[in-house]
Protein backbone atom coordinates (compact mmCIF):
# COMPACT_ATOMS: atom_id res chain seq x y z
CA UNK A 1 0.00 0.00 0.00
CA UNK A 2 1.30 3.22 0.31
CA UNK A 3 4.72 2.85 -1.15
CA UNK A 4 5.29 6.27 0.38
CA UNK A 5 8.69 6.51 1.97
CA UNK A 6 9.22 8.06 5.34
CA UNK A 7 10.66 11.48 4.76
CA UNK A 8 9.71 12.56 1.25
CA UNK A 9 6.31 10.87 1.49
CA UNK A 10 5.22 12.92 4.49
CA UNK A 11 6.11 16.18 2.74
CA UNK A 12 4.12 15.18 -0.33
CA UNK A 13 1.14 14.31 1.86
CA UNK A 14 1.46 17.58 3.73
CA UNK A 15 1.54 19.60 0.52
CA UNK A 16 -1.55 17.88 -0.78
CA UNK A 17 -3.44 18.56 2.45
CA UNK A 18 -2.40 22.22 2.52
CA UNK A 19 -3.82 22.72 -0.94
CA UNK A 20 -7.01 20.85 0.06
CA UNK A 21 -6.31 18.40 -2.74
CA UNK A 22 -6.48 15.24 -0.65
CA UNK A 23 -8.74 12.22 -1.20
CA UNK A 24 -11.09 12.93 -4.12
CA UNK A 25 -8.83 15.47 -5.83
CA UNK A 26 -5.74 13.26 -5.69
CA UNK A 27 -7.79 10.25 -6.79
CA UNK A 28 -9.10 12.08 -9.86
CA UNK A 29 -5.59 13.31 -10.64
CA UNK A 30 -4.30 9.73 -10.49
CA UNK A 31 -7.09 8.43 -12.72
CA UNK A 32 -6.32 11.17 -15.23
CA UNK A 33 -2.61 10.40 -15.19
CA UNK A 34 -3.11 6.66 -15.66
CA UNK A 35 -5.68 7.29 -18.40
CA UNK A 36 -2.96 8.86 -20.54
CA UNK A 37 -1.06 5.57 -20.43
CA UNK A 38 -3.68 2.84 -20.10
CA UNK A 39 -7.01 4.32 -21.18
CA UNK A 40 -9.85 5.39 -18.90
CA UNK A 41 -11.54 2.03 -18.16
CA UNK A 42 -8.34 0.33 -17.01
CA UNK A 43 -7.13 3.45 -15.17
CA UNK A 44 -10.40 3.79 -13.27
CA UNK A 45 -10.29 0.11 -12.37
CA UNK A 46 -6.70 0.37 -11.12
CA UNK A 47 -7.48 3.30 -8.86
CA UNK A 48 -10.66 1.63 -7.66
CA UNK A 49 -8.71 -1.45 -6.58
CA UNK A 50 -6.13 0.71 -4.79
CA UNK A 51 -9.02 2.50 -3.08
CA UNK A 52 -10.41 -0.81 -1.83
CA UNK A 53 -6.96 -1.81 -0.53
CA UNK A 54 -6.50 1.44 1.39
CA UNK A 55 -10.05 1.24 2.72
CA UNK A 56 -9.09 -2.05 4.34
CA UNK A 57 -6.39 -0.27 6.35
CA UNK A 58 -8.83 2.49 7.29
CA UNK A 59 -11.52 0.05 8.44
CA UNK A 60 -9.12 -1.76 10.77
CA UNK A 61 -7.81 1.55 12.14
CA UNK A 62 -11.36 2.66 12.85
CA UNK A 63 -12.07 -0.67 14.53
CA UNK A 64 -9.01 -0.26 16.75
CA UNK A 65 -9.77 3.38 17.51
CA UNK A 66 -6.67 4.70 15.72
CA UNK A 67 -7.30 8.12 14.11
CA UNK A 68 -6.12 8.43 10.52
CA UNK A 69 -5.62 11.06 7.85
CA UNK A 70 -7.62 11.44 4.63
CA UNK A 71 -6.69 9.00 1.89
CA UNK A 72 -4.19 10.46 -0.58
CA UNK A 73 -3.22 9.09 -4.01
CA UNK A 74 0.04 9.81 -5.81
CA UNK A 75 0.40 8.62 -9.45
CA UNK A 76 2.95 5.81 -9.96
CA UNK A 77 3.71 5.78 -6.22
CA UNK A 78 0.57 4.47 -4.57
CA UNK A 79 -1.82 5.74 -1.95
CA UNK A 80 -1.78 6.24 1.78
CA UNK A 81 -4.01 6.40 4.82
CA UNK A 82 -1.63 7.57 7.52
CA UNK A 83 -2.10 6.70 11.19
CA UNK A 84 -2.23 9.80 13.37
CA UNK A 85 -1.02 7.94 16.43
CA UNK A 86 1.22 4.93 16.83
CA UNK A 87 -0.35 1.51 17.43
CA UNK A 88 -0.16 0.20 20.98
CA UNK A 89 2.05 -2.69 19.92
CA UNK A 90 3.32 -4.63 16.93
CA UNK A 91 0.19 -6.82 16.96
CA UNK A 92 -2.05 -3.81 16.29
CA UNK A 93 0.36 -2.63 13.62
CA UNK A 94 0.22 -6.05 11.95
CA UNK A 95 -3.59 -6.06 12.00
CA UNK A 96 -3.71 -2.65 10.33
CA UNK A 97 -1.21 -3.82 7.71
CA UNK A 98 -3.21 -7.00 7.05
CA UNK A 99 -6.43 -5.05 6.52
CA UNK A 100 -5.30 -3.55 3.21
CA UNK A 101 -4.26 -6.67 1.30
CA UNK A 102 -7.10 -8.68 2.84
CA UNK A 103 -9.85 -6.36 1.59
CA UNK A 104 -7.87 -5.58 -1.56
CA UNK A 105 -7.68 -9.29 -2.39
CA UNK A 106 -11.45 -9.65 -1.93
CA UNK A 107 -11.91 -6.71 -4.28
CA UNK A 108 -9.69 -8.33 -6.91
CA UNK A 109 -11.59 -11.60 -6.46
CA UNK A 110 -14.88 -9.79 -7.06
CA UNK A 111 -13.45 -8.30 -10.27
CA UNK A 112 -12.37 -11.79 -11.36
CA UNK A 113 -15.91 -12.99 -10.74
CA UNK A 114 -17.31 -10.26 -12.97
CA UNK A 115 -14.71 -11.19 -15.60
CA UNK A 116 -15.95 -14.79 -15.67
CA UNK A 117 -19.60 -13.73 -15.81
CA UNK A 118 -19.06 -11.32 -18.69
CA UNK A 119 -16.06 -12.98 -20.36
CA UNK A 120 -14.36 -9.59 -20.12
CA UNK A 121 -10.64 -9.44 -20.82
CA UNK A 122 -10.56 -5.96 -19.27
CA UNK A 123 -11.82 -7.40 -16.00
CA UNK A 124 -9.38 -10.32 -16.15
CA UNK A 125 -6.56 -7.81 -16.62
CA UNK A 126 -7.79 -5.71 -13.69
CA UNK A 127 -8.13 -8.79 -11.51
CA UNK A 128 -4.55 -9.68 -12.37
CA UNK A 129 -3.45 -6.18 -11.35
CA UNK A 130 -5.37 -6.47 -8.09
CA UNK A 131 -3.88 -9.84 -7.18
CA UNK A 132 -0.39 -8.71 -8.16
CA UNK A 133 -0.37 -5.39 -6.28
CA UNK A 134 -1.69 -6.97 -3.09
CA UNK A 135 0.84 -9.79 -3.30
CA UNK A 136 3.65 -7.32 -3.96
CA UNK A 137 2.67 -5.31 -0.89
CA UNK A 138 3.00 -8.46 1.22
CA UNK A 139 6.74 -8.63 0.55
CA UNK A 140 8.33 -8.63 4.05
CA UNK A 141 10.27 -5.44 3.43
CA UNK A 142 10.53 -2.20 5.40
CA UNK A 143 7.32 -0.23 5.82
CA UNK A 144 5.42 -2.18 3.16
CA UNK A 145 2.44 -4.14 4.48
CA UNK A 146 4.42 -7.38 4.53
CA UNK A 147 7.25 -5.72 6.45
CA UNK A 148 4.87 -4.50 9.14
CA UNK A 149 3.16 -7.89 9.36
CA UNK A 150 6.25 -10.09 9.39
CA UNK A 151 8.13 -7.66 11.61
CA UNK A 152 5.66 -8.60 14.34
CA UNK A 153 6.62 -12.26 13.94
CA UNK A 154 10.40 -12.07 13.67
CA UNK A 155 13.01 -9.30 13.36
CA UNK A 156 14.82 -11.42 10.76
CA UNK A 157 11.91 -11.42 8.31
CA UNK A 158 13.28 -8.18 6.87
CA UNK A 159 16.38 -10.05 5.70
CA UNK A 160 14.11 -12.32 3.65
CA UNK A 161 12.44 -9.27 2.15
CA UNK A 162 15.80 -7.72 1.26
CA UNK A 163 16.82 -10.98 -0.41
CA UNK A 164 13.60 -11.11 -2.41
CA UNK A 165 13.84 -7.46 -3.44
CA UNK A 166 17.50 -7.80 -4.35
CA UNK A 167 16.74 -10.83 -6.50
CA UNK A 168 13.99 -8.99 -8.37
CA UNK A 169 16.38 -6.12 -9.10
CA UNK A 170 19.25 -8.44 -10.07
CA UNK A 171 17.05 -10.41 -12.48
CA UNK A 172 15.74 -7.21 -14.03
CA UNK A 173 12.11 -7.74 -13.02
CA UNK A 174 11.97 -4.37 -11.26
CA UNK A 175 13.75 -1.27 -12.55
CA UNK A 176 11.65 1.42 -10.88
CA UNK A 177 13.91 3.84 -8.93
CA UNK A 178 11.26 4.14 -6.23
CA UNK A 179 11.79 0.49 -5.39
CA UNK A 180 15.50 1.14 -4.92
CA UNK A 181 14.59 3.72 -2.29
CA UNK A 182 12.25 1.19 -0.67
CA UNK A 183 15.15 -1.27 -0.52
CA UNK A 184 17.44 1.30 1.10
CA UNK A 185 14.80 2.25 3.66
CA UNK A 186 14.03 -1.43 4.24
CA UNK A 187 17.69 -2.19 4.89
CA UNK A 188 17.90 0.57 7.48
CA UNK A 189 14.65 -0.46 9.17
CA UNK A 190 15.68 -4.12 9.25
CA UNK A 191 18.98 -3.23 10.88
CA UNK A 192 17.25 -1.07 13.49
CA UNK A 193 14.67 -3.81 14.11
CA UNK A 194 17.43 -6.37 14.81
CA UNK A 195 19.92 -4.31 16.79
CA UNK A 196 17.84 -1.54 18.37
CA UNK A 197 14.25 -2.83 18.34
CA UNK A 198 12.76 -0.63 21.07
CA UNK A 199 14.23 2.72 20.09
CA UNK A 200 11.50 5.41 20.02
CA UNK A 201 8.86 2.75 20.65
CA UNK A 202 6.83 1.83 23.74
CA UNK A 203 8.43 -0.74 25.99
CA UNK A 204 7.72 -4.35 24.95
CA UNK A 205 6.28 -3.13 21.64
CA UNK A 206 7.35 -6.35 19.93
CA UNK A 207 6.46 -8.65 22.84
CA UNK A 208 3.68 -10.73 21.29
CA UNK A 209 2.15 -13.89 22.72
CA UNK A 210 2.51 -17.14 20.81
CA UNK A 211 -1.20 -16.97 20.02
CA UNK A 212 -0.84 -13.51 18.52
CA UNK A 213 2.17 -14.57 16.46
CA UNK A 214 0.28 -17.64 15.26
CA UNK A 215 -2.72 -15.52 14.24
CA UNK A 216 -0.57 -13.07 12.30
CA UNK A 217 1.50 -15.82 10.64
CA UNK A 218 -1.58 -17.84 9.69
CA UNK A 219 -3.32 -14.83 8.18
CA UNK A 220 -0.19 -13.76 6.32
CA UNK A 221 0.74 -17.09 4.75
CA UNK A 222 -2.89 -17.91 4.05
CA UNK A 223 -3.27 -14.63 2.19
CA UNK A 224 -0.02 -15.09 0.25
CA UNK A 225 -1.00 -18.64 -0.77
CA UNK A 226 -4.50 -17.53 -1.79
CA UNK A 227 -3.15 -14.71 -3.95
CA UNK A 228 -0.62 -16.94 -5.69
CA UNK A 229 -3.37 -19.48 -6.43
CA UNK A 230 -5.77 -16.80 -7.65
CA UNK A 231 -3.13 -15.34 -9.97
CA UNK A 232 -2.38 -18.77 -11.42
CA UNK A 233 -6.07 -19.44 -12.10
CA UNK A 234 -6.65 -15.98 -13.54
CA UNK A 235 -3.67 -16.42 -15.87
CA UNK A 236 -5.43 -19.34 -17.58
CA UNK A 237 -8.24 -17.04 -18.70
CA UNK A 238 -6.35 -13.80 -19.28
CA UNK A 239 -5.26 -13.38 -22.89
CA UNK A 240 -1.95 -11.76 -23.77
CA UNK A 241 -1.95 -8.21 -25.21
CA UNK A 242 -0.49 -9.61 -28.44
CA UNK A 243 -3.38 -12.03 -28.81
CA UNK A 244 -5.94 -9.35 -28.05
CA UNK A 245 -4.40 -7.04 -30.68
CA UNK A 246 -4.38 -9.88 -33.22
CA UNK A 247 -8.04 -10.69 -32.58
CA UNK A 248 -8.97 -7.01 -32.73
CA UNK A 249 -7.17 -6.75 -36.07
CA UNK A 250 -9.10 -9.74 -37.41
CA UNK A 251 -12.39 -8.19 -36.26
CA UNK A 252 -11.55 -4.88 -37.95
CA UNK A 253 -10.61 -6.71 -41.16
CA UNK A 254 -13.90 -8.62 -41.09
CA UNK A 255 -15.85 -5.44 -40.41
CA UNK A 256 -14.32 -3.43 -43.24
CA UNK A 257 -13.35 -6.21 -45.63
Amino acid sequence: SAILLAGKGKYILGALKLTKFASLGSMLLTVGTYTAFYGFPYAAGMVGLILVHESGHALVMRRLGIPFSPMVFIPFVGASVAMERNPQDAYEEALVALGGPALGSLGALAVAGVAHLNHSQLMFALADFGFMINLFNLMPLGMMDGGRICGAISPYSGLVGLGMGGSLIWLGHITNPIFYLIMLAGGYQTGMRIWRPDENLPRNYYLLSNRQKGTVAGAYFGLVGSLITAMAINEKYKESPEKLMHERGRQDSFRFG
Side-chain angles (χ1 to χ4, degrees):
S1 77
I3 308 177
L4 288 173
L5 303 176
K8 297 212 180 265
K10 67 181 179 183
Y11 297 122
I12 295 171
L13 290 175
L16 288 171
K17 291 176 188 175
L18 287 174
T19 57
K20 301 185 183 298
F21 200 54
S23 299
L24 180 61
S26 62
M27 183 171 67
L28 293 176
L29 173 65
T30 303
V31 171
T33 303
Y34 288 162
T35 296
F37 292 88
Y38 309 115
F40 177 74
Y42 189 78
M46 288 173 66
V47 175
L49 286 166
I50 295 172
L51 172 66
V52 172
H53 176 108
E54 292 301 323
S55 296
H57 293 308
L59 288 171
V60 176
M61 283 187 268
R62 175 169 292 179
R63 176 70 176 175
L64 296 174
I66 300 174
F68 52 90
S69 70
M71 189 180 302
V72 176
F73 293 79
I74 300 178
F76 303 110
V77 176
S80 176
V81 179
M83 290 182 281
E84 296 186 341
R85 75 160 174 82
N86 290 328
Q88 293 182 357
D89 52 32
Y91 182 64
E92 273 198 358
E93 184 177 1
L95 293 179
V96 171
L98 277 164
L103 189 62
S105 299
L106 290 176
L109 187 63
V111 171
V114 173
H116 283 283
L117 288 174
N118 296 305
H119 305 287
S120 169
Q121 283 300 313
L122 171 64
M123 290 297 170
F124 280 122
L126 283 171
D128 185 68
F129 169 80
F131 294 137
M132 179 274 296
I133 201 67
N134 283 285
L135 184 61
F136 176 77
N137 271 286
L138 287 170
M139 186 182 298
L141 179 64
M143 299 306 290
M144 295 176 67
D145 291 337
R148 292 176 178 271
I149 296 164
C150 294
I153 303 170
S154 169
Y156 299 101
S157 61
L159 297 176
V160 177
L162 289 171
M164 293 171 63
S167 298
L168 291 172
I169 292 173
W170 178 262
L171 295 172
H173 296 309
I174 296 180
T175 57
N176 191 323
I178 294 175
F179 188 71
Y180 302 157
L181 297 178
I182 294 173
M183 286 286 291
L184 290 173
Y188 173 78
Q189 290 157 1
T190 298
M192 294 296 291
R193 173 71 175 88
I194 292 173
W195 289 292
R196 305 175 71 177
D198 295 323
E199 186 173 36
N200 300 322
L201 290 172
R203 187 177 181 183
N204 298 325
Y205 185 83
Y206 288 106
L207 188 62
L208 274 63
S209 68
N210 289 333
R211 181 178 180 181
Q212 288 175 323
K213 287 185 178 182
T215 299
V216 172
Y220 175 78
F221 289 109
L223 193 53
V224 169
S226 298
L227 282 168
I228 291 173
T229 302
M231 285 188 70
I233 294 173
N234 193 70
E235 189 66 26
K236 295 179 180 179
Y237 298 92
K238 181 173 69 74
E239 295 181 356
S240 67
E242 293 79 11
K243 185 175 180 180
L244 288 173
M245 290 179 64
H246 177 69
E247 290 181 352
R248 184 176 298 175
R250 288 180 58 189
Q251 291 173 358
D252 290 343
S253 299
F254 178 77
R255 185 181 302 135
F256 298 107

